[in-house]
Amino acid sequence: MSTIFNKKSVYFGVIWSSYYALGGVDLYDGNYGTIRYWAAVLLNVVVTLGFPLMLFMAMFSFELPLDNLINFNISLTSVSASVKFVIFVIQLKKIVEIEQRVAQLDRRADTHEQRSYKAEMVRKLVMVSTVYKYIYGCCVVTSSVSFLFYKERSLPFPAWFPTDWTTSLTSYIIAVSHQILSIVVQVLQNFVDDLFPPMIFVIIVGQCELLIQRLSSIGYDQSDQRANEWKLIECIRDHQKIFELHDLTMEVISWPLLVQFVVISIDVGTALCALIFYAENMNEKVYFSSFIFALGMQIFPICYFGTMVEYSFGRLHYAVYSSNWVDQSMSYRKSVLIFVERTRRLPKQMAGNFVPIALTTFLANCKAAYSFCTLLADSGSK
Protein backbone atom coordinates (compact mmCIF):
# COMPACT_ATOMS: atom_id res chain seq x y z
CA MET A 1 0.00 0.00 0.00
CA SER A 2 1.26 3.47 -0.88
CA THR A 3 2.82 5.66 1.74
CA ILE A 4 1.01 8.76 0.46
CA PHE A 5 -2.34 7.49 -0.79
CA ASN A 6 -5.00 8.85 1.55
CA LYS A 7 -8.30 6.95 1.49
CA LYS A 8 -9.76 9.24 4.17
CA SER A 9 -9.02 12.50 2.37
CA VAL A 10 -11.65 15.08 3.30
CA TYR A 11 -11.51 17.02 0.04
CA PHE A 12 -9.32 15.12 -2.43
CA GLY A 13 -10.69 11.58 -2.21
CA VAL A 14 -11.58 11.50 -5.93
CA ILE A 15 -8.14 12.94 -6.76
CA TRP A 16 -6.26 10.21 -4.90
CA SER A 17 -8.53 7.46 -6.23
CA SER A 18 -7.85 8.62 -9.80
CA TYR A 19 -4.08 8.81 -9.36
CA TYR A 20 -4.16 5.40 -7.72
CA ALA A 21 -6.13 3.92 -10.65
CA LEU A 22 -3.76 5.54 -13.17
CA GLY A 23 -0.69 4.12 -11.43
CA GLY A 24 0.60 7.56 -10.52
CA VAL A 25 0.85 6.81 -6.80
CA ASP A 26 2.74 3.56 -7.43
CA LEU A 27 5.11 5.30 -9.84
CA TYR A 28 5.81 8.01 -7.27
CA ASP A 29 6.45 5.49 -4.49
CA GLY A 30 8.82 3.48 -6.70
CA ASN A 31 8.28 0.12 -4.98
CA TYR A 32 10.16 -1.88 -7.61
CA GLY A 33 9.42 -5.22 -5.98
CA THR A 34 5.63 -4.98 -6.28
CA ILE A 35 3.37 -6.11 -9.11
CA ARG A 36 1.41 -2.86 -8.89
CA TYR A 37 4.49 -0.82 -9.70
CA TRP A 38 5.29 -2.77 -12.88
CA ALA A 39 1.61 -2.79 -13.87
CA ALA A 40 1.66 1.02 -13.54
CA VAL A 41 4.86 1.18 -15.63
CA LEU A 42 3.30 -1.00 -18.35
CA LEU A 43 0.07 1.01 -18.41
CA ASN A 44 1.89 4.32 -18.73
CA VAL A 45 4.33 3.04 -21.36
CA VAL A 46 1.45 1.72 -23.47
CA VAL A 47 -0.80 4.77 -22.99
CA THR A 48 0.99 7.83 -21.61
CA LEU A 49 3.99 7.31 -23.90
CA GLY A 50 2.78 4.94 -26.63
CA PHE A 51 -0.53 6.51 -27.64
CA PRO A 52 0.82 10.04 -28.37
CA LEU A 53 3.75 8.46 -30.25
CA MET A 54 1.41 6.44 -32.48
CA LEU A 55 -0.66 9.52 -33.19
CA PHE A 56 2.39 11.60 -34.10
CA MET A 57 3.77 8.91 -36.40
CA ALA A 58 0.67 9.34 -38.57
CA MET A 59 0.74 13.14 -38.51
CA PHE A 60 -0.60 14.68 -41.78
CA SER A 61 -0.40 11.34 -43.62
CA PHE A 62 -4.09 11.02 -44.47
CA GLU A 63 -5.83 11.91 -47.70
CA LEU A 64 -8.84 13.63 -46.12
CA PRO A 65 -8.23 17.04 -44.48
CA LEU A 66 -10.71 16.11 -41.74
CA ASP A 67 -8.64 13.06 -40.76
CA ASN A 68 -5.50 15.20 -40.62
CA LEU A 69 -7.25 17.77 -38.42
CA ILE A 70 -8.58 15.08 -36.08
CA ASN A 71 -5.15 13.47 -35.86
CA PHE A 72 -3.44 16.81 -35.16
CA ASN A 73 -6.06 17.72 -32.57
CA ILE A 74 -5.92 14.45 -30.69
CA SER A 75 -2.13 14.25 -30.94
CA LEU A 76 -1.73 17.63 -29.29
CA THR A 77 -4.36 16.84 -26.66
CA SER A 78 -2.76 13.47 -25.91
CA VAL A 79 0.73 14.93 -25.54
CA SER A 80 -0.52 17.69 -23.23
CA ALA A 81 -2.42 15.13 -21.11
CA SER A 82 0.75 13.03 -20.77
CA VAL A 83 2.92 16.05 -19.92
CA LYS A 84 0.49 17.37 -17.29
CA PHE A 85 0.11 13.91 -15.77
CA VAL A 86 3.87 13.49 -15.42
CA ILE A 87 4.25 16.96 -13.85
CA PHE A 88 1.53 16.24 -11.31
CA VAL A 89 2.84 12.76 -10.45
CA ILE A 90 6.30 14.18 -9.75
CA GLN A 91 4.69 16.58 -7.24
CA LEU A 92 2.28 14.25 -5.45
CA LYS A 93 4.12 14.84 -2.18
CA LYS A 94 3.24 18.54 -2.42
CA ILE A 95 -0.45 17.65 -2.75
CA VAL A 96 -0.11 15.73 0.53
CA GLU A 97 1.45 18.83 2.10
CA ILE A 98 -1.38 20.96 0.72
CA GLU A 99 -3.89 18.65 2.42
CA GLN A 100 -2.02 18.94 5.70
CA ARG A 101 -2.03 22.75 5.54
CA VAL A 102 -5.73 22.81 4.73
CA ALA A 103 -6.41 20.52 7.70
CA GLN A 104 -4.57 22.96 9.99
CA LEU A 105 -6.71 25.84 8.77
CA ASP A 106 -9.90 23.77 9.06
CA ARG A 107 -9.27 23.30 12.77
CA ARG A 108 -9.63 27.06 13.22
CA ALA A 109 -13.34 26.91 12.30
CA ASP A 110 -14.69 26.92 15.87
CA THR A 111 -18.10 28.61 15.57
CA HIS A 112 -21.41 27.37 14.22
CA GLU A 113 -21.34 29.97 11.45
CA GLN A 114 -17.85 28.96 10.33
CA ARG A 115 -18.65 25.24 10.45
CA SER A 116 -21.77 25.86 8.37
CA TYR A 117 -19.74 27.75 5.80
CA LYS A 118 -17.20 24.92 5.69
CA ALA A 119 -20.01 22.43 5.05
CA GLU A 120 -21.22 24.66 2.22
CA MET A 121 -17.70 24.67 0.78
CA VAL A 122 -17.68 20.85 0.81
CA ARG A 123 -21.00 20.81 -1.07
CA LYS A 124 -19.55 23.18 -3.65
CA LEU A 125 -16.54 20.90 -4.12
CA VAL A 126 -18.84 17.90 -4.62
CA MET A 127 -20.80 19.87 -7.21
CA VAL A 128 -17.62 20.85 -9.09
CA SER A 129 -16.32 17.28 -9.14
CA THR A 130 -19.75 15.97 -10.26
CA VAL A 131 -19.87 18.40 -13.19
CA TYR A 132 -16.38 17.33 -14.24
CA LYS A 133 -17.36 13.66 -13.99
CA TYR A 134 -20.30 14.13 -16.35
CA ILE A 135 -18.32 16.21 -18.84
CA TYR A 136 -15.40 13.80 -19.04
CA GLY A 137 -17.75 10.83 -19.05
CA CYS A 138 -19.41 12.28 -22.15
CA CYS A 139 -15.96 12.74 -23.68
CA VAL A 140 -15.22 9.03 -23.21
CA VAL A 141 -18.49 8.04 -24.84
CA THR A 142 -18.28 10.40 -27.84
CA SER A 143 -14.62 9.56 -28.45
CA SER A 144 -14.93 5.79 -28.07
CA VAL A 145 -18.03 5.03 -30.14
CA SER A 146 -17.81 7.46 -33.07
CA PHE A 147 -15.94 4.96 -35.26
CA LEU A 148 -18.87 2.51 -35.04
CA PHE A 149 -20.98 4.72 -37.29
CA TYR A 150 -18.62 4.51 -40.28
CA LYS A 151 -19.42 2.04 -43.06
CA GLU A 152 -15.78 1.00 -43.52
CA ARG A 153 -13.51 -0.48 -40.87
CA SER A 154 -11.87 2.36 -38.93
CA LEU A 155 -10.27 3.25 -35.62
CA PRO A 156 -11.65 5.71 -33.05
CA PHE A 157 -8.80 8.06 -34.03
CA PRO A 158 -6.62 8.06 -37.16
CA ALA A 159 -3.22 6.82 -35.99
CA TRP A 160 -0.31 4.55 -36.91
CA PHE A 161 -0.37 0.96 -35.67
CA PRO A 162 2.45 -1.61 -36.06
CA THR A 163 0.21 -4.26 -37.68
CA ASP A 164 -2.15 -4.09 -40.67
CA TRP A 165 -5.54 -3.78 -38.97
CA THR A 166 -7.35 -3.17 -42.27
CA THR A 167 -7.03 -6.80 -43.38
CA SER A 168 -6.62 -8.74 -40.12
CA LEU A 169 -9.57 -8.97 -37.72
CA THR A 170 -7.28 -9.90 -34.81
CA SER A 171 -5.05 -6.89 -35.44
CA TYR A 172 -8.13 -4.69 -35.75
CA ILE A 173 -9.50 -5.86 -32.40
CA ILE A 174 -6.11 -5.24 -30.76
CA ALA A 175 -5.82 -1.78 -32.34
CA VAL A 176 -9.35 -0.77 -31.30
CA SER A 177 -8.84 -2.13 -27.78
CA HIS A 178 -5.59 -0.20 -27.43
CA GLN A 179 -7.17 3.05 -28.55
CA ILE A 180 -10.23 2.66 -26.32
CA LEU A 181 -7.97 1.88 -23.34
CA SER A 182 -5.85 4.91 -24.21
CA ILE A 183 -8.92 7.14 -24.53
CA VAL A 184 -10.27 6.07 -21.13
CA VAL A 185 -6.90 6.46 -19.41
CA GLN A 186 -6.08 9.82 -20.97
CA VAL A 187 -9.53 11.23 -20.30
CA LEU A 188 -9.09 10.15 -16.67
CA GLN A 189 -5.65 11.81 -16.66
CA ASN A 190 -7.18 15.01 -17.97
CA PHE A 191 -10.02 14.71 -15.47
CA VAL A 192 -7.83 14.48 -12.39
CA ASP A 193 -5.27 17.04 -13.60
CA ASP A 194 -7.98 19.54 -14.55
CA LEU A 195 -10.09 18.97 -11.43
CA PHE A 196 -7.38 19.65 -8.84
CA PRO A 197 -6.74 23.37 -9.66
CA PRO A 198 -10.39 24.54 -9.34
CA MET A 199 -10.89 22.38 -6.24
CA ILE A 200 -7.92 23.83 -4.39
CA PHE A 201 -8.89 27.35 -5.46
CA VAL A 202 -12.40 26.78 -4.04
CA ILE A 203 -10.73 25.69 -0.78
CA ILE A 204 -8.46 28.76 -0.71
CA VAL A 205 -11.45 31.03 -1.34
CA GLY A 206 -13.28 29.24 1.48
CA GLN A 207 -10.36 29.67 3.88
CA CYS A 208 -10.20 33.38 3.03
CA GLU A 209 -13.93 33.72 3.74
CA LEU A 210 -13.54 31.91 7.07
CA LEU A 211 -10.68 34.25 7.98
CA ILE A 212 -12.86 37.24 7.02
CA GLN A 213 -15.52 35.98 9.43
CA ARG A 214 -13.00 35.60 12.24
CA LEU A 215 -11.45 39.02 11.62
CA SER A 216 -14.70 40.96 11.35
CA SER A 217 -16.08 39.47 14.59
CA ILE A 218 -13.17 40.56 16.82
CA GLY A 219 -14.15 43.04 19.52
CA TYR A 220 -17.91 42.50 19.43
CA ASP A 221 -18.14 39.86 22.18
CA GLN A 222 -17.37 40.12 25.86
CA SER A 223 -13.66 39.30 25.50
CA ASP A 224 -11.15 41.65 27.10
CA GLN A 225 -8.62 43.62 25.08
CA ARG A 226 -5.81 41.17 25.78
CA ALA A 227 -7.93 38.29 24.43
CA ASN A 228 -8.77 40.34 21.33
CA GLU A 229 -5.08 41.03 20.73
CA TRP A 230 -4.46 37.29 20.81
CA LYS A 231 -7.34 36.68 18.36
CA LEU A 232 -5.83 39.20 15.96
CA ILE A 233 -2.41 37.52 16.22
CA GLU A 234 -4.01 34.16 15.43
CA CYS A 235 -5.74 35.69 12.39
CA ILE A 236 -2.42 37.13 11.20
CA ARG A 237 -0.92 33.66 11.45
CA ASP A 238 -3.90 32.26 9.51
CA HIS A 239 -3.32 34.82 6.78
CA GLN A 240 0.31 33.74 6.53
CA LYS A 241 -0.73 30.08 6.34
CA ILE A 242 -3.23 30.79 3.56
CA PHE A 243 -0.58 32.70 1.64
CA GLU A 244 1.85 29.78 2.02
CA LEU A 245 -0.91 27.38 0.94
CA HIS A 246 -1.47 29.48 -2.17
CA ASP A 247 2.26 29.61 -2.96
CA LEU A 248 2.53 25.83 -2.61
CA THR A 249 -0.52 25.40 -4.84
CA MET A 250 1.03 27.56 -7.54
CA GLU A 251 4.19 25.44 -7.44
CA VAL A 252 2.04 22.42 -8.32
CA ILE A 253 -0.36 23.86 -10.93
CA SER A 254 1.56 26.72 -12.57
CA TRP A 255 3.29 24.85 -15.41
CA PRO A 256 0.49 22.34 -16.11
CA LEU A 257 -1.89 25.29 -16.51
CA LEU A 258 0.46 27.02 -18.95
CA VAL A 259 0.55 23.85 -21.06
CA GLN A 260 -3.23 23.66 -20.83
CA PHE A 261 -3.86 27.28 -21.87
CA VAL A 262 -1.58 27.06 -24.90
CA VAL A 263 -2.79 23.66 -26.10
CA ILE A 264 -6.49 24.43 -25.67
CA SER A 265 -6.31 27.60 -27.73
CA ILE A 266 -4.77 25.57 -30.57
CA ASP A 267 -7.14 22.62 -30.11
CA VAL A 268 -10.28 24.75 -30.06
CA GLY A 269 -9.14 26.61 -33.18
CA THR A 270 -8.48 23.32 -34.99
CA ALA A 271 -11.79 21.77 -33.89
CA LEU A 272 -13.69 24.91 -34.85
CA CYS A 273 -12.13 24.85 -38.32
CA ALA A 274 -13.04 21.17 -38.72
CA LEU A 275 -16.60 21.79 -37.50
CA ILE A 276 -17.25 24.73 -39.82
CA PHE A 277 -15.49 23.65 -43.01
CA TYR A 278 -15.07 19.85 -43.02
CA ALA A 279 -17.64 18.11 -40.79
CA GLU A 280 -20.38 16.73 -43.03
CA ASN A 281 -22.52 14.27 -41.09
CA MET A 282 -24.28 14.77 -37.77
CA ASN A 283 -21.93 12.39 -35.92
CA GLU A 284 -18.88 14.49 -36.83
CA LYS A 285 -20.65 17.73 -35.91
CA VAL A 286 -21.73 16.35 -32.52
CA TYR A 287 -18.20 15.09 -31.85
CA PHE A 288 -16.49 18.42 -32.59
CA SER A 289 -19.16 20.45 -30.79
CA SER A 290 -18.82 18.34 -27.63
CA PHE A 291 -15.02 18.44 -27.99
CA ILE A 292 -15.00 22.25 -28.11
CA PHE A 293 -17.38 22.46 -25.15
CA ALA A 294 -15.24 20.05 -23.12
CA LEU A 295 -12.10 22.02 -23.88
CA GLY A 296 -13.76 25.25 -22.83
CA MET A 297 -14.91 23.68 -19.58
CA GLN A 298 -11.34 22.60 -18.86
CA ILE A 299 -10.19 26.18 -18.38
CA PHE A 300 -13.30 28.25 -17.57
CA PRO A 301 -13.70 27.00 -13.95
CA ILE A 302 -10.03 27.52 -13.10
CA CYS A 303 -10.08 31.02 -14.63
CA TYR A 304 -13.28 31.87 -12.74
CA PHE A 305 -12.05 30.57 -9.40
CA GLY A 306 -8.66 32.20 -10.00
CA THR A 307 -10.46 35.54 -10.19
CA MET A 308 -12.43 34.64 -7.05
CA VAL A 309 -9.18 33.90 -5.17
CA GLU A 310 -7.85 37.36 -5.99
CA TYR A 311 -11.17 38.93 -4.97
CA SER A 312 -11.23 37.03 -1.66
CA PHE A 313 -7.69 38.06 -0.74
CA GLY A 314 -8.66 41.65 -1.55
CA ARG A 315 -11.60 41.48 0.87
CA LEU A 316 -9.26 40.71 3.76
CA HIS A 317 -8.09 44.31 3.61
CA TYR A 318 -11.59 45.55 4.50
CA ALA A 319 -12.35 42.74 6.96
CA VAL A 320 -9.65 44.05 9.30
CA TYR A 321 -11.47 47.38 9.60
CA SER A 322 -14.80 45.59 10.09
CA SER A 323 -13.64 44.51 13.54
CA ASN A 324 -14.27 46.75 16.53
CA TRP A 325 -10.72 48.08 16.37
CA VAL A 326 -11.64 51.57 17.66
CA ASP A 327 -12.32 50.35 21.20
CA GLN A 328 -9.21 48.19 21.41
CA SER A 329 -5.80 48.82 22.94
CA MET A 330 -3.00 50.80 21.35
CA SER A 331 -1.09 47.54 20.76
CA TYR A 332 -4.09 46.09 18.90
CA ARG A 333 -4.43 49.17 16.69
CA LYS A 334 -0.73 49.13 15.83
CA SER A 335 -1.00 45.48 14.84
CA VAL A 336 -4.06 46.34 12.71
CA LEU A 337 -2.11 48.97 10.79
CA ILE A 338 0.73 46.53 10.08
CA PHE A 339 -1.68 43.75 9.13
CA VAL A 340 -3.62 46.04 6.78
CA GLU A 341 -0.43 46.76 4.85
CA ARG A 342 0.24 43.03 4.57
CA THR A 343 -3.25 42.35 3.21
CA ARG A 344 -2.71 44.93 0.46
CA ARG A 345 -0.27 42.48 -1.15
CA LEU A 346 -2.28 40.11 -3.33
CA PRO A 347 -0.98 36.65 -4.28
CA LYS A 348 0.75 36.16 -7.62
CA GLN A 349 -1.36 33.95 -9.87
CA MET A 350 0.50 33.23 -13.09
CA ALA A 351 0.60 30.08 -15.18
CA GLY A 352 4.29 29.44 -15.81
CA ASN A 353 5.06 32.97 -14.56
CA PHE A 354 3.61 34.17 -17.85
CA VAL A 355 -0.20 33.92 -18.16
CA PRO A 356 -2.60 35.27 -15.50
CA ILE A 357 -5.03 32.74 -14.05
CA ALA A 358 -8.15 34.85 -14.42
CA LEU A 359 -11.26 35.28 -16.56
CA THR A 360 -9.33 37.63 -18.84
CA THR A 361 -7.19 34.64 -19.85
CA PHE A 362 -10.31 32.65 -20.79
CA LEU A 363 -11.36 35.46 -23.13
CA ALA A 364 -7.82 35.64 -24.52
CA ASN A 365 -7.94 31.88 -25.18
CA CYS A 366 -11.18 32.27 -27.11
CA LYS A 367 -9.66 35.02 -29.23
CA ALA A 368 -6.50 32.97 -29.83
CA ALA A 369 -8.61 29.95 -30.86
CA TYR A 370 -10.55 32.06 -33.36
CA SER A 371 -7.31 33.47 -34.78
CA PHE A 372 -5.88 29.98 -35.20
CA CYS A 373 -9.11 28.84 -36.86
CA THR A 374 -8.94 31.64 -39.42
CA LEU A 375 -5.26 30.87 -40.01
CA LEU A 376 -6.07 27.23 -40.80
CA ALA A 377 -8.98 28.27 -43.02
CA ASP A 378 -6.77 30.66 -44.98
CA SER A 379 -4.08 28.02 -45.34
CA GLY A 380 -6.60 25.45 -46.54
CA SER A 381 -8.07 27.77 -49.16
CA LYS A 382 -4.70 28.37 -50.85
Side-chain angles (χ1 to χ4, degrees):
M1 179 60 67
S2 167
T3 57
I4 67 170
F5 177 55
N6 187 358
K7 286 186 176 181
K8 298 181 180 179
S9 175
V10 176
Y11 300 117
F12 300 137
V14 65
I15 300 290
W16 286 117
S17 297
S18 299
Y19 279 125
Y20 194 68
L22 293 167
V25 175
D26 294 286
L27 291 175
Y28 182 89
D29 283 345
N31 295 325
Y32 306 112
T34 63
I35 296 177
R36 291 198 60 88
Y37 173 78
W38 292 109
V41 170
L42 178 61
L43 176 66
N44 284 277
V45 167
V46 170
V47 176
T48 306
L49 178 63
F51 187 55
L53 184 62
M54 290 181 180
L55 289 167
F56 265 104
M57 290 182 69
M59 183 75 73
F60 304 122
S61 63
F62 304 96
E63 295 181 1
L64 296 178
L66 184 61
D67 286 342
N68 285 320
L69 286 176
I70 293 176
N71 176 265
F72 174 75
N73 222 334
I74 300 303
S75 298
L76 200 58
T77 304
S78 178
V79 169
S80 68
S82 298
V83 170
K84 289 189 299 179
F85 179 71
V86 170
I87 295 175
F88 272 105
V89 167
I90 292 173
Q91 303 184 97
L92 284 182
K93 190 67 176 179
K94 291 183 180 179
I95 297 180
V96 176
E97 187 176 347
I98 286 172
E99 276 196 304
Q100 294 170 347
R101 291 175 181 267
V102 172
Q104 291 176 1
L105 290 166
D106 277 348
R107 287 193 286 269
R108 290 278 290 136
D110 55 0
T111 67
H112 175 73
E113 182 183 9
Q114 292 177 30
R115 285 192 289 267
S116 297
Y117 183 85
K118 195 173 76 169
E120 181 64 29
M121 181 177 67
V122 173
R123 286 192 290 269
K124 186 180 295 185
L125 289 171
V126 171
M127 182 182 68
V128 170
S129 63
T130 301
V131 169
Y132 269 71
K133 287 176 185 177
Y134 280 113
I135 291 174
Y136 284 86
C138 292
C139 287
V140 171
V141 174
T142 56
S143 301
S144 302
V145 304
S146 60
F147 74 103
L148 297 175
F149 296 94
Y150 292 103
K151 295 180 180 179
E152 299 179 355
R153 182 182 291 179
S154 61
L155 297 175
F157 295 120
W160 172 86
F161 202 75
T163 59
D164 186 8
W165 55 267
T166 58
T167 57
S168 172
L169 179 60
T170 303
S171 297
Y172 178 64
I173 294 174
I174 294 174
V176 170
S177 300
H178 173 259
Q179 286 211 352
I180 291 178
L181 173 65
S182 300
I183 291 168
V184 172
V185 170
Q186 291 226 295
V187 168
L188 184 57
Q189 287 177 347
N190 265 319
F191 165 77
V192 66
D193 295 342
D194 296 343
L195 178 61
F196 177 74
M199 284 189 73
I200 187 59
F201 271 9
V202 168
I203 292 172
I204 291 174
V205 169
Q207 295 299 339
C208 285
E209 292 299 320
L210 289 171
L211 179 56
I212 288 170
Q213 292 181 17
R214 289 194 288 271
L215 277 170
S216 58
S217 65
I218 297 178
Y220 293 103
D221 55 13
Q222 302 300 318
S223 302
D224 57 29
Q225 291 186 343
R226 184 62 182 170
N228 290 332
E229 289 176 17
W230 180 250
K231 289 180 181 179
L232 179 62
I233 292 173
E234 289 295 314
C235 287
I236 293 173
R237 290 174 179 171
D238 290 342
H239 178 256
Q240 182 64 31
K241 290 177 182 177
I242 296 173
F243 230 97
E244 292 172 354
L245 172 64
H246 184 273
D247 289 342
L248 184 60
T249 298
M250 292 311 303
E251 291 178 16
V252 175
I253 70 174
S254 178
W255 289 104
L257 284 181
L258 179 62
V259 173
Q260 190 170 2
F261 288 150
V262 173
V263 169
I264 284 181
S265 61
I266 298 173
D267 274 350
V268 171
T270 307
L272 189 62
C273 180
L275 176 65
I276 295 173
F277 297 105
Y278 297 104
E280 297 179 353
N281 56 57
M282 184 56 64
N283 178 57
E284 292 172 346
K285 292 179 180 180
V286 169
Y287 166 75
F288 283 112
S289 298
S290 60
F291 188 71
I292 291 171
F293 174 74
L295 290 175
M297 285 304 297
Q298 282 187 20
I299 61 172
F300 178 77
I302 184 60
C303 291
Y304 171 77
F305 288 120
T307 300
M308 289 302 298
V309 167
E310 186 174 348
Y311 172 73
S312 297
F313 271 100
R315 287 186 61 206
L316 289 169
H317 178 73
Y318 302 98
V320 180
Y321 287 123
S322 296
S323 67
N324 186 19
W325 60 275
V326 177
D327 298 332
Q328 304 307 312
S329 64
M330 182 63 68
S331 174
Y332 182 97
R333 283 178 281 179
K334 287 181 180 180
S335 298
V336 162
L337 292 176
I338 296 172
F339 187 34
V340 163
E341 290 303 312
R342 292 183 62 178
T343 57
R344 291 171 64 90
R345 182 170 68 95
L346 299 180
K348 183 180 179 182
Q349 294 192 142
M350 305 289 284
N353 297 320
F354 181 67
V355 179
I357 305 174
L359 285 173
T360 53
T361 298
F362 178 76
L363 296 176
N365 258 70
C366 294
K367 294 177 182 178
Y370 176 76
S371 299
F372 192 73
C373 174
T374 56
L375 177 64
L376 287 177
D378 291 341
S379 301
S381 62
K382 294 180 181 179

